[in-house]
Amino acid sequence: MDLSTAKGNRIPFIPGTKPSVKNSQLLISTGIPSLDHVIGGGLPVGSLFLIEEDEYGTYAKIMLQYFMAEGVTTAQPLLIGSKDVKTSQLVSDIPAVITDTTSINQPSNSDEQMKIAWRYQNMKVIDTSPTGGQVFGHFYDLTKKIEKEVIENADITQWYDDSCPEKNNSFNNATYSNLLKYIQETLENGQYSISETPTKRQVLRIAIHCLGSRLWCSDSEDDSCQDLLKFLYYFRALLRYSYAVGVITVPTQCFDNSNVIAQRIEHISDVAVRLESFAGSQKETNPLFKDYHGLLHLRKMLALNTIAPHNPESRDLVFKLRRKKFVIEVLHLPPELSDTTQREQDETIPQFGCSSLPDKNLLDF
Amino acid sequence: MDSVSNVLGIDKVNMDGKLICIEEQHDTNANFVLSSIISNALKRNYEICFVLFHNTMNHYHNIGMKFGYNLTLLREKGKVTVIEPMKIITFNMEYIYEQTANNIVRDIFVIIKTELDKIIQSNKHVIIIIDDLSHIYNFGCNLKESMYYIRYLRSLIECHNMSQLCIIMHTYKDENSFSNVLTHGLKYIAHLFIKTEPLETGYSSNASGNITINWKMDDVRIKYNWPEVMKYIYKLSDRQVQIYTPGTSALLA
């Protein structure tokens, strides 16, 4: 966000945000505390967050819903756009917030009694606890849906379009310009622009589901790509000069990536992660991944107001979805629990020669 | 930032009338090269004209504050001119819906020219910095139009021999992509070509990427005894950049 042109030089206080001293930014939560931690505290106002969808789009959708849920919980306004799924469906599926935090942040009491592998004790675990007493980011229960009256009271704008795409003079698929216009008008009406001085400053969360899917295509692959990139560039420009944060999920799996479209989208966005779920892949049966649901690839890290992109402690990240929590963890090897025979060889005295040992081995000759 | 300027050699050579091209390959961030060019220009008391397609002015201001210069203050003094195409389109959205795409690109060029003329009149040295020209694709320019655009920009600095041009391009692994082809063309006409590449082996905590410096002026190279192509490894941190030759560690450099 370009604060230099904002009226008044001080970073304003807005509910649901926290200032980041390091790069003079205002952050909002993605709704997943462990993701906030990985990307460097949260999403700066004015930035664009790209989620490259997993094969079936399940987890990307859940992440998007967390982002929306966080908006509802912190009473921030929300704009949802989709062409694939009815937005009313997306809204009604928003998970309910867990107010009782003790059940989640319960420390595992086995820590004290059991100390396995002392050399691992200094290994860093991703800290999901909120920083400094101030609540930033919540946990949500996927089994419970948010109450209807909460949704009715929340400031949610929906954009859903199932019309047949036409061509206009700026985009090959006019849907893009409809959505852009809609976003622009919402930003204007809500006075989210940095040049405005509304009585109550708020941050608009813009969530766009499955952008660039088959329903967004135009006649040729090239035209579709150009449209998507053009839209994203204008969207980025709008976000930069507004109190708004954009989160988009893009099914990059569906693209023929010969024209590096995925990388071009990453270039336009500020933070990019790619989800690789194990569902339907060979990794599902791999014992290494048995505790997890997929891999999280960090494709682009935040480099706003600094020359060095944020450098997380680890880049080998996995995610797992529990009923009450979507967690991102550093990938560790699972403990070896089965009876191992690996130490047996230490007991045998090394012998040279062909068959000097009394106990017969099948391969001995 | 002085060390980066020193490695690049821009602190020694007079770049008037010259073109610097920076190729930022995907997965790298060439902002540190840019900030060393900025701080070098400020040290030489040049005027700066920013054309920002990719980042906002606030971004560069915040970087500048970490390296000891205040761009906002300089902007108020008139030493720094800023042209922000993103801001232009945000506050004039009719550009998108009504006019054809090329007009905005042309308008930006006209703005650059008028701003440059203003500075030239006061007989000062000036550097035009274009952050990520590859975004003109997003305004609907095709390859031919973009090549012409670069030619216009180039003739602009050829006319005023106290001006210099610095263009950043973001390129990808695909040789046929728009920005790669455009960068090839730019590389050919540039006097100094700088390239940042990601590490082939992936991410490392000790290095951020490779930087290649290619001076294309023979007389400068002979004078300072520089090889044609210089390759280094760089490591970025929040407030400093370490550059070292491949095979050595940062401590030895």
Side-chain angles (χ1 to χ4, degrees):
Chain A
M1 181 187 48
D2 193 358
L3 280 173
S4 61
T5 37
K7 299 265 169 70
N9 270 335
R10 279 176 59 248
I11 296 178
F13 175 74
I14 305 168
T17 63
K18 78 168 182 192
S20 149
V21 189
K22 199 179 153 205
N23 290 321
S24 57
Q25 289 158 341
L26 202 59
L27 304 177
I28 67 162
S29 171
T30 55
I32 305 167
S34 50
L35 182 67
D36 286 340
H37 179 86
V38 169
I39 61 171
L43 293 170
V45 172
S47 65
L48 178 60
F49 181 47
L50 165 73
I51 302 167
E52 297 179 32
E53 287 185 11
D54 47 307
E55 199 167 351
Y56 306 113
T58 350
Y59 297 101
K61 195 168 149 193
I62 288 169
M63 280 175 83
L64 198 71
Q65 276 172 339
Y66 274 116
F67 174 73
M68 285 156 39
E70 181 69 25
V72 174
T73 312
T74 55
Q76 283 166 342
L78 193 63
L79 190 158
I80 304 159
S82 177
K83 209 169 154 59
D84 291 52
V85 184
K86 279 214 169 93
T87 44
S88 51
Q89 183 70 37
L90 281 172
V91 171
S92 59
D93 281 352
I94 292 179
V97 67
I98 302 171
T99 40
D100 174 30
T101 46
T102 46
S103 58
I104 307 145
N105 292 336
Q106 206 174 47
S108 43
N109 45 15
S110 57
D111 277 9
E112 289 308 307
Q113 289 94 17
M114 273 167 60
K115 262 205 177 146
I116 325 159
W118 54 271
R119 59 182 164 153
Y120 294 128
Q121 72 188 4
N122 289 330
M123 294 267 294
K124 280 186 181 155
V125 260
I126 288 188
D127 180 22
T128 55
S129 58
T131 46
Q134 197 191 350
V135 181
F136 188 70
H138 298 82
F139 293 100
Y140 297 92
D141 190 346
L142 280 174
T143 53
K144 279 191 215 140
K145 281 175 190 166
I146 200 157
E147 286 144 35
K148 275 222 170 72
E149 49 214 66
V150 180
I151 293 178
E152 277 158 17
N153 292 330
D155 181 2
I156 302 175
T157 359
Q158 299 177 29
W159 179 90
Y160 175 69
D161 181 4
D162 54 358
S163 62
C164 198
E166 284 165 34
K167 200 178 157 144
N168 69 5
N169 50 13
S170 47
F171 286 98
N172 292 310
N173 186 336
T175 324
Y176 281 111
S177 75
N178 294 343
L179 177 57
L180 202 62
K181 216 171 211 164
Y182 190 81
I183 293 171
Q184 187 216 340
E185 277 161 10
T186 313
L187 288 172
E188 230 165 62
N189 298 338
Q191 294 186 304
Y192 296 106
S193 167
I194 46 165
S195 54
E196 307 256 14
T197 41
T199 44
K200 191 184 166 208
R201 179 68 85 188
Q202 281 184 310
V203 178
L204 178 70
R205 290 173 176 250
I206 304 174
I208 305 173
H209 174 247
C210 220
L211 186 74
S213 73
R214 288 291 165 213
L215 294 172
W216 294 87
C217 280
S218 45
D219 295 345
S220 75
E221 186 89 8
D222 275 349
D223 287 349
S224 315
C225 290
Q226 195 169 3
D227 268 10
L228 176 60
L229 293 169
K230 195 172 173 181
F231 169 80
L232 284 176
Y233 185 70
Y234 287 131
F235 186 37
R236 176 192 167 94
L238 277 178
L239 288 172
R240 276 291 194 275
Y241 297 98
S242 316
Y243 279 88
V245 175
V247 172
I248 50 167
T249 70
V250 177
T252 44
Q253 301 264 353
C254 300
F255 298 134
D256 158 31
N257 208 15
S258 61
N259 53 1
V260 288
I261 175 84
Q263 279 83 334
R264 287 161 173 227
I265 301 170
E266 284 164 15
H267 180 51
I268 296 178
S269 57
D270 295 298
V271 195
V273 296
R274 186 162 70 85
L275 299 179
E276 182 189 343
S277 83
F278 298 141
S281 84
Q282 282 191 336
K283 287 174 181 160
E284 199 173 14
T285 50
N286 190 331
L288 174 61
F289 299 129
K290 69 168 189 264
D291 293 337
Y292 307 107
H293 288 114
L295 295 171
L296 183 93
H297 301 278
L298 302 175
R299 297 295 307 140
K300 186 178 179 180
M301 293 315 286
L302 204 63
L304 273 177
N305 298 354
T306 174
I307 52 164
H310 172 70
N311 203 4
E313 288 113 20
S314 173
R315 284 181 177 269
D316 297 316
L317 301 174
V318 276
F319 62 84
K320 65 179 164 198
L321 183 66
R322 296 218 229 100
R323 262 188 324 135
K324 295 190 172 179
K325 219 172 169 186
F326 183 91
V327 219
I328 291 157
E329 286 180 359
V330 177
L331 177 63
H332 291 296
L333 290 175
E336 186 76 71
L337 292 175
S338 55
D339 292 333
T340 55
T341 50
Q342 64 186 34
R343 293 194 69 86
E344 272 176 17
Q345 72 224 22
D346 296 349
E347 285 145 26
T348 58
I349 308 132
Q351 295 276 337
F352 299 98
C354 285
S355 113
S356 48
L357 282 174
D359 45 341
K360 286 281 176 284
N361 196 318
L362 279 173
L363 283 173
D364 275 345
F365 51 91
Chain B
M1 277 299 125
D2 289 353
S3 63
V4 182
S5 310
N6 189 24
V7 170
L8 297 176
I10 47 170
D11 55 343
K12 301 182 191 76
V13 185
N14 181 11
M15 293 298 287
D16 281 346
K18 305 281 191 297
L19 169 65
I20 304 172
C21 172
I22 303 168
E23 177 183 345
E24 177 190 62
Q25 289 196 353
H26 194 66
D27 277 339
T28 62
N29 191 327
N31 266 321
F32 73 100
V33 182
L34 207 59
S35 35
S36 82
I37 289 172
I38 295 167
S39 68
N40 183 55
L42 290 174
K43 202 169 277 176
R44 287 177 175 228
N45 207 16
Y46 285 6
E47 308 272 310
I48 302 177
C49 176
F50 282 102
V51 186
L52 303 175
F53 283 97
H54 191 71
N55 285 306
T56 57
M57 191 57 211
N58 192 44
H59 171 76
Y60 289 104
H61 168 76
N62 279 306
I63 291 180
M65 292 308 276
K66 287 177 188 169
F67 294 105
Y69 50 88
N70 189 332
L71 288 179
T72 312
L73 207 68
L74 289 166
R75 191 179 177 180
E76 280 161 17
K77 282 184 190 160
K79 258 194 104 50
V80 171
T81 316
V82 184
I83 302 161
E84 287 174 282
M86 282 211 288
K87 201 171 187 172
I88 297 171
I89 54 168
T90 311
F91 293 104
N92 305 281
M93 282 307 254
E94 64 273 18
Y95 265 121
I96 305 170
Y97 309 121
E98 278 143 38
Q99 290 168 308
T100 53
N102 289 341
N103 282 345
I104 178 156
V105 183
R106 200 197 60 205
D107 287 358
I108 292 163
F109 181 76
V110 174
I111 299 170
I112 297 173
K113 193 172 179 305
T114 37
E115 291 294 339
L116 188 68
D117 285 342
K118 256 189 243 167
I119 302 166
I120 295 296
Q121 271 173 8
S122 54
N123 210 20
K124 283 176 186 157
H125 288 273
V126 60
I127 177 166
I128 306 171
I129 293 173
I130 301 181
D131 180 16
D132 211 345
L133 193 65
S134 50
H135 280 306
I136 62 170
Y137 177 78
N138 302 123
F139 289 110
C141 274
N142 61 26
L143 208 54
K144 189 174 144 196
E145 286 159 354
S146 313
M147 273 327 275
Y148 272 108
Y149 201 69
I150 291 170
R151 264 181 59 183
Y152 285 148
L153 287 168
R154 191 171 161 236
S155 8
L156 205 61
I157 56 155
E158 296 274 319
C159 300
H160 308 291
N161 57 4
M162 283 168 85
S163 58
Q164 48 177 304
L165 183 62
C166 170
I167 299 178
I168 295 193
M169 295 292 288
H170 193 90
T171 60
Y172 305 92
K173 282 241 162 64
D174 172 27
E175 279 307 309
N176 298 320
S177 77
F178 172 85
S179 51
N180 285 48
V181 176
L182 207 58
T183 310
H184 269 298
L186 258 177
K187 194 176 170 179
Y188 187 70
I189 57 170
H191 299 95
L192 169 61
F193 177 69
I194 302 161
K195 180 164 72 173
T196 57
E197 291 168 295
L199 298 170
E200 270 180 46
T201 44
Y203 292 94
S204 156
S205 54
N206 300 320
S208 307
N210 293 314
I211 179 167
T212 309
I213 302 153
N214 185 359
W215 279 92
K216 308 195 62 173
M217 294 182 293
D218 286 339
D219 51 331
V220 170
R221 277 214 314 273
I222 291 162
K223 189 175 167 197
Y224 296 102
N225 207 8
W226 286 333
E228 193 167 345
V229 176
M230 293 181 268
K231 283 190 179 200
Y232 299 98
I233 292 170
Y234 67 91
K235 160 81 183 139
L236 300 176
S237 38
D238 207 25
R239 281 167 192 274
Q240 66 161 344
V241 184
Q242 291 164 309
I243 293 195
Y244 41 102
T245 46
T248 61
S249 81
L251 294 169
L252 293 172

